[in-house]
Amino acid sequence: MKNKYRILKIAITVIILGFLLSFSLKKFSGQKITDNKISVKMSEKTPVYFIDEKDIREIVKKENPSGKVGDLNIPALEKKINALPAVDSANVYLNLNGKLNLDIKQRVPVFRLNKNGRDFYVDEKGIEFPISKTYSHPCMLVTGDVQKDEYRKLAELVEKIDKDDFSKKYFIGISKDNGDYNLLTSEGNYKVEIGDLDNIEFKVKGFKTFVEKYLVYQDPEKYKMVSVKYQNQIVTTLNPYFKENDSILNVRNKELAKASLVPVKKADDKPKPAEIKKTNQPTSSSLKPKTVTKPKEIKKTEKKSTAAKPKTKAKIKIE
């Protein structure tokens, strides 16, 4: 019995609200939507100015030329505003007093990407939208062949940099070269190589330790690159145009030159022809039995050989 009473109560409430809504629409359908009856609210936390209230009011006028409440197609107007590249979401509705409300949330750029000669913004959801001719939002500049499936992770990296005082002080840009990401620094001309976008906090922490314990005592122009992409180690590359590095680089070049002069004999190298000839010659031990012969035996062999010669000549003559 209680459930039936509750259902009946809800049904009566819906009917009353529907009657009041239809009555208000009939009452205000012939009225015009004047400027003071249009309320535009921008609800984003970070102030951006890709579109303003004036732009929204012009869209409302184009979608409803007559200006009457009864001729306004709210779903079509809402769809039109949501189609704007810089709009994240839009909610359009009418009050019972005939006032038109438009609650709009704009996209907030996390970084600006320069890719293949084209500039555009990317928001926290990884969605691209074009830059504005009238407004430029201050954000991290990224260059290189960044893929769309990397937008979300890259946006997370930029947000972490913006929230950390140390990172925000040092890093002013990001580049992608040969598949590796690099953080561009505000001090010196060196860059911090981080490789992929995994374990970002650990890599930034490693660079922070390097700065606090070593780099603060050095000239930032000394280095060309500081790499933290390898696990548990930091690799630095000297700047060849820094004068104080000349002595270090000269020593390294001399060591490389010495190393290049040392001949390296390969195991499978074939011996030279001269070496083969020497190895084929009989040794003294092998010649010893032939040289040590009795004189008598030598004379006998000589006699036999001299006696055999006339016989061969005689045979040749007969033929």
Side-chain angles (χ1 to χ4, degrees):
M1 190 72 180
K2 290 182 179 180
N3 291 333
K4 290 183 179 179
Y5 178 74
R6 187 178 297 172
I7 293 170
L8 181 63
K9 188 177 180 180
I10 293 172
I12 292 171
T13 304
V14 171
I15 291 170
I16 292 172
L17 289 174
F19 174 77
L20 291 174
L21 181 61
S22 61
F23 176 77
S24 61
L25 288 174
K26 287 180 181 179
K27 182 181 179 181
F28 296 108
S29 60
Q31 293 183 2
K32 286 194 173 184
I33 304 174
T34 56
D35 289 339
N36 59 351
K37 287 188 176 183
I38 298 176
S39 175
V40 181
K41 293 180 180 180
M42 303 294 182
S43 58
E44 63 276 349
K45 294 180 181 179
T46 304
V48 289
Y49 307 98
F50 294 107
I51 56 174
D52 55 18
E53 186 175 337
K54 183 180 178 181
D55 299 328
I56 300 301
R57 289 179 180 275
E58 288 179 358
I59 292 173
V60 172
K61 289 179 181 179
K62 287 181 180 179
E63 290 296 310
N64 186 23
S66 65
K68 293 181 180 180
V69 175
D71 296 335
L72 179 63
N73 187 341
I74 292 178
L77 176 61
E78 191 174 88
K79 186 177 180 180
K80 184 76 174 180
I81 296 173
N82 275 311
L84 296 174
V87 173
D88 183 38
S89 62
N91 185 24
V92 181
Y93 57 95
L94 273 170
N95 286 343
L96 295 177
N97 59 1
K99 189 175 182 179
L100 180 64
N101 298 274
L102 301 100
D103 297 336
I104 298 169
K105 183 181 179 182
Q106 297 184 68
R107 298 191 187 280
V108 180
V110 177
F111 60 89
R112 180 171 176 169
L113 180 59
N114 182 286
K115 180 180 177 181
N116 298 325
R118 187 170 68 95
D119 277 331
F120 53 89
Y121 291 115
V122 178
D123 68 356
E124 60 181 357
K125 297 178 181 178
I127 298 175
E128 301 176 359
F129 62 101
I131 60 175
S132 173
K133 294 181 180 179
T134 58
Y135 171 70
S136 179
H137 186 73
C139 58
M140 185 75 74
L141 178 63
V142 182
T143 60
D145 188 20
V146 182
Q147 302 302 314
K148 287 186 177 181
D149 57 356
E150 297 176 311
Y151 286 171
R152 294 292 292 271
K153 276 192 173 184
L154 192 57
E156 291 176 5
L157 169 60
V158 174
E159 288 178 347
K160 287 178 181 178
I161 291 173
D162 289 339
K163 291 178 182 178
D164 183 63
D165 293 336
F166 172 83
S167 300
K168 193 173 183 180
K169 174 186 175 182
Y170 267 90
F171 306 134
I172 58 173
I174 302 174
S175 67
K176 186 180 181 183
D177 303 315
N178 300 321
D180 286 334
Y181 281 95
N182 303 288
L183 301 178
L184 308 180
T185 58
S186 58
E187 294 188 5
N189 294 320
Y190 67 92
K191 56 186 178 181
V192 181
E193 185 184 40
I194 61 173
D196 54 29
L197 297 173
D198 297 328
N199 302 320
I200 293 299
E201 292 181 359
F202 180 77
K203 293 174 182 177
V204 173
K205 186 178 179 180
F207 175 72
K208 184 178 180 180
T209 303
F210 174 75
V211 170
E212 291 176 344
K213 293 188 176 182
Y214 186 76
L215 194 60
V216 289
Y217 306 106
Q218 304 289 326
D219 191 322
E221 297 288 340
K222 181 178 180 179
Y223 298 102
K224 181 181 179 182
M225 185 176 67
V226 178
S227 179
V228 294
K229 75 173 184 177
Y230 304 103
Q231 189 173 4
N232 298 327
Q233 62 178 328
I234 297 174
V235 181
T236 60
T237 304
L238 295 176
N239 180 9
Y241 301 104
F242 188 61
K243 291 183 178 180
E244 293 183 9
N245 291 336
D246 291 344
S247 58
I248 301 174
L249 293 173
N250 288 335
V251 171
R252 187 196 65 178
N253 293 334
K254 287 179 180 178
E255 290 178 353
L256 292 174
K258 288 179 181 179
S260 63
L261 293 174
V262 176
V264 180
K265 187 176 181 180
K266 297 182 180 179
D268 57 347
D269 285 348
K270 294 181 180 180
K272 297 180 180 179
E275 295 176 349
I276 296 173
K277 189 174 181 181
K278 289 179 181 179
T279 54
N280 288 338
Q281 289 179 353
T283 59
S284 58
S285 60
S286 61
L287 292 173
K288 196 171 183 180
K290 293 182 180 180
T291 54
V292 181
T293 55
K294 295 180 180 181
K296 293 181 180 180
E297 293 178 353
I298 295 170
K299 290 179 179 180
K300 288 180 180 179
T301 53
E302 288 178 355
K303 288 180 179 179
K304 289 180 181 179
S305 61
T306 52
K309 286 182 180 179
K311 291 180 180 180
T312 53
K313 291 181 180 178
K315 286 180 180 180
I316 293 170
K317 288 180 179 180
I318 291 169
E319 294 175 353

